[in-house]
Amino acid sequence: FTLCIIFRRYKYTMFSRASSLLVTRTAAVRGRTMVTMAPASNAWERSCYKDIKFTIDENATVYDAVQQLSAYDVGALVTVDAGGNVSGVMSERDYVCKVALLGRTSKDTIVKEISTKAANITTASPDESIEDCMNKMLQKDVRHLPLVGEDGSLEGFLSIKDLVKEVLSAKEEELNKLADKFL
C-alpha cells in the first residue's frame, strides 16, 4: 500500500517501513503508481492457521474433520493423502451441503467424499502478493487458499480474513502516520 499525496506540482510518496504490508515494488503506468503489496507469506506469519494443524487425512471421517474445525475455530482444512500431498480442501460449507443437507452422517462419511479435489482448488505461492491472493479468491468465490511451494509442498493456508486483516492493518498504519505528520 503506497500512499501518494499530490500537492500542485509536487508528489510525495510515503512508504511504510514498519508495516508488515510493505510495498515490494511500484511501476508507473499512465502517470499513476500501481502498487504490488507484500507477499502472501507475510499474511501467513499472522494467520490463525499458522500455529494449528490445518491438515486432515483424506481418509478420516467427516466427524473427525468437524471436531478439528470446531476445536480450532476455523472454517476449512487442507486434505492430504497418505504421502502427505495436498488432495483437496474441506470446508464447513462442504459439510453443510454434502452431508447435513443430504441426510448423511458425519461418522459414516469420509472426508475425500465431500472435499473439493486438488485439481479443482485454487492455490497460491507464498511469493504472490496479498492483492493477487485476494483477486484469486474473489474470482473463484473461495474463502481459503492453500500456499504451495514451487516443489508442490504445502507451505501454509490463508483465509480471506487473514488477507483483509493485513490490508486494514497497513492502511490504518498509513493513516496514523499521515495524522501524525499533518496534525
Side-chain angles (χ1 to χ4, degrees), residues 20-22 24 37-44 125-130 133:
S20 66
L21 191 60
L22 294 176
T24 54
M37 290 189 226
S41 58
N42 285 23
W44 166 242
S125 121
D127 296 329
E128 285 187 60
S129 73
I130 290 171
C133 291

Side-chain angles (χ1 to χ4, degrees), residues 97-160:
C97 295
K98 299 173 185 174
V99 178
L101 287 176
L102 297 178
R104 298 170 76 179
T105 63
S106 59
K107 289 185 177 181
D108 296 326
T109 307
I110 304 300
V111 168
K112 70 180 171 186
E113 294 174 14
I114 69 163
S115 64
T116 303
K117 306 302 178 250
N120 296 325
I121 63 172
T122 302
T123 63
S125 121
D127 296 329
E128 285 187 60
S129 73
I130 290 171
E131 182 180 33
D132 289 343
C133 291
M134 290 179 87
N135 285 332
K136 281 184 175 188
M137 289 176 155
L138 288 170
Q139 288 173 355
K140 297 293 185 172
D141 195 26
V142 295
R143 295 177 287 176
H144 297 87
L145 197 62
L147 295 178
V148 179
E150 289 180 22
D151 61 353
S153 64
L154 181 63
E155 296 190 17
F157 195 44
L158 294 174
S159 71
I160 191 69

Side-chain angles (χ1 to χ4, degrees), residues 1 7 19 23 40 48 52 62 102-103 105 108 112 136 155 175:
F1 174 78
F7 292 108
S19 172
V23 173
C48 63
I52 67 167
V62 171
L102 297 178
T105 63
D108 296 326
K112 70 180 171 186
K136 281 184 175 188
E155 296 190 17
L175 288 173

Side-chain angles (χ1 to χ4, degrees), residues 82-95:
N85 302 309
V86 175
S87 62
V89 171
M90 190 213 126
S91 68
E92 293 169 320
R93 188 181 294 174
D94 291 324
Y95 170 74

Side-chain angles (χ1 to χ4, degrees), residues 41-52:
S41 58
N42 285 23
W44 166 242
E45 290 302 318
R46 291 201 257 181
S47 172
C48 63
Y49 286 95
K50 175 76 171 156
D51 297 321
I52 67 167

